[in-house]
Every structure is written in structure tokens, then in C-alpha cells.
Amino acid sequence: KRKSIEDKEFEKLKTMEYSDKQKRFKDAINNIDSTDYKKVGDQLGDVSTRTLLQIAETMDTINNILQNRSAQNEHEKEEKRENKTNKESAEPPNSQRQNTDTMSTPDKPDMNDKTSEIIQYIQGSELKKDSLDKYLQIYQSNSKLAKSIGLCLEFWKLDRNNDKSYSSFRKKLEKDNYLQNSSLKGFVDDMCTQKHPEYVKDLPSQDQKKPLSEIIKKLNNITQ
């Protein structure tokens, strides 16, 4: 069962038997929609050192975020459809003909959709420093998102000084709406329970460039 949990085999986990003490975990598994398996798995990150209760709490949080986001997206799409219908019905015939003539002009990319992708990315376990540096340049105009991206980048600067420790970093993550339930926050929580945790700077330079999920595994191996 533990291997299936670490491998994120949610469909298989739904068919297994659980004790009364594991009911919270069972409920969390059953609440995951099959279309969200990959998203939940990515955001869970490495669970090898977590208890079933900790995993269940994290899954519940991720599932709620995904469900709320889905509902919000549907609401936004419905509003766009209504606005488009109202606009078209209010336009005079000449304006409608002009619209027909310009229909071949491609639409600009929807930045709201792209922003949602980046938010999902920084909440997951595949963060890479190089990618975050690029996103920080692109989203400078979005102060809230840029702040969260910059906060992710601080992970690579942590050391054993008081102002750059896991505990001080956790306080910042707890105040960030995008990151307070992220895979990064979950890992930092785990490190705060260790007496002598290791940091990214303790790893070889080539390992520091790897995704967060691989960095977590290497740091857990050193710390244990």
C-alpha cells in the first residue's frame, strides 16, 4: 500500500481496504476526480517521509484548490459568453459587418489562462530555478504573482543563518496565498522538524539545477 501511495496510484488506492484510523486518508483518496490525478500527484511531491494523515490533509487542500479553480474558470467562461452575446446584440449592422471582415485576425493569447498555469506550476513539485528566473521577468507587471515567484527562488538561497533558515522561510510561505499549500511549503514543514536539516547549497551544483522533486529526495536522503 505504501508503494502505491508513493507512486501516486490513486485508482488502485481507491480499491484497497482501510482501517477506521485510515478513514481520513480513504476519504481524501475517494474525493479526487480521475481527471485531476496528475495535478494532485504533481503538487503532492515526495510523500515518502509523511504520515497518512499528513498526506490526507495535503490532498484535501489540493483537491479543494482544484475544485474552486474549476468552478471559478467555469464562472469566468460563462461571464465571457454573456458579455459577448450582449455586445453582439447591441452592435449596429455596420459594426457587425466590420467584425465579419476582421474575423481572420488571430486572437491574442489569454494571459488569464497562462497566469493560472504559472500559479499551478509554483504550487507543484517540478519547480526549477532557471524556469522561475524566466517567469519572474515575464510577470514583473503582476506584482502578486512576481512576489510568489521571487519567494520560490529564495529556496535556492537558504542556508543556516537565522534570516535564511527553513523556519524563517516557512513564515513567509504561510503568508503567501499562492504558496501556503504548495509542495514547497510541505517540504519546508518537514525540514523544520529535523534537528540538522540539509539545504540546497549543500548539494553539488549540478543537483541544484534539478526539479524540486529530485532536490527533495536528495536532501531527505542526506538528512535521514
Side-chain angles (χ1 to χ4, degrees):
K1 184 183 293 184
R2 188 73 202 188
K3 187 177 186 306
S4 294
I5 295 172
E6 293 178 8
D7 292 342
K8 319 296 191 316
E9 296 175 334
F10 298 121
E11 196 65 40
K12 185 176 180 180
L13 288 167
K14 286 184 177 182
T15 65
M16 294 183 178
E17 296 293 329
Y18 297 91
S19 65
D20 291 341
K21 291 183 179 180
Q22 297 172 333
K23 185 177 183 302
R24 174 69 185 276
F25 180 82
K26 177 183 178 182
D27 291 342
I29 288 290
N30 289 333
N31 286 335
I32 302 175
D33 191 278
S34 60
T35 59
D36 290 330
Y37 284 164
K38 188 177 186 307
K39 294 178 182 178
V40 175
D42 288 345
Q43 294 191 38
L44 265 180
D46 182 27
V47 296
S48 59
T49 61
R50 300 190 194 181
T51 65
L52 289 185
L53 180 58
Q54 289 173 327
I55 296 172
E57 290 173 345
T58 304
M59 283 195 297
D60 281 341
T61 300
I62 294 171
N63 203 36
N64 287 336
I65 291 173
L66 291 174
Q67 290 177 353
N68 291 338
R69 186 178 298 154
S70 177
Q72 182 179 356
N73 288 341
E74 285 300 318
H75 178 68
E76 290 175 354
K77 288 179 182 177
E78 183 61 30
E79 282 190 341
K80 286 181 180 179
R81 283 195 292 267
E82 290 180 1
N83 290 337
K84 184 178 179 181
T85 301
N86 293 336
K87 183 179 179 181
E88 289 177 349
S89 62
E91 286 178 346
N94 286 341
S95 177
Q96 290 179 357
R97 281 197 297 273
Q98 289 175 0
N99 284 344
T100 303
D101 293 338
T102 58
M103 280 179 66
S104 59
T105 304
D107 293 332
K108 293 182 179 179
D110 191 338
M111 287 303 291
N112 287 333
D113 289 344
K114 188 63 178 176
T115 299
S116 296
E117 280 184 30
I118 304 306
I119 292 172
Q120 185 174 330
Y121 173 75
I122 64 176
Q123 291 174 340
S125 61
E126 297 306 308
L127 300 180
K128 293 183 71 174
K129 186 177 183 300
D130 290 347
S131 298
L132 289 169
D133 283 330
K134 292 177 183 177
Y135 289 142
L136 185 60
Q137 294 300 319
I138 295 173
Y139 290 92
Q140 285 291 349
S141 59
N142 187 329
S143 59
K144 187 176 180 181
L145 183 54
K147 180 182 177 182
S148 297
I149 296 172
L151 190 55
C152 289
L153 284 166
E154 287 187 26
F155 174 67
W156 278 264
K157 300 177 183 178
L158 297 180
D159 53 32
R160 289 168 179 78
N161 293 322
N162 289 333
D163 60 337
K164 292 183 179 180
S165 66
Y166 282 122
S167 57
S168 62
F169 187 50
R170 178 167 64 173
K171 292 177 182 178
K172 296 180 181 179
L173 294 175
E174 288 173 342
K175 296 178 181 178
D176 190 285
N177 290 336
Y178 293 144
L179 299 174
Q180 58 189 201
N181 294 308
S182 63
S183 295
L184 179 59
K185 169 65 164 48
F187 170 69
V188 172
D189 286 341
D190 290 342
M191 287 295 99
C192 286
T193 65
Q194 305 293 333
K195 290 185 178 180
H196 303 290
E198 298 294 327
Y199 289 80
V200 180
K201 287 190 174 184
D202 298 322
L203 298 175
S205 57
Q206 65 269 22
D207 287 338
Q208 296 180 25
K209 297 178 182 179
K210 293 182 177 180
L212 176 65
S213 58
E214 294 186 35
I215 290 176
I216 288 174
K217 288 181 181 178
K218 290 185 177 295
L219 291 177
N220 278 331
N221 289 337
I222 296 173
T223 302
Q224 288 175 355

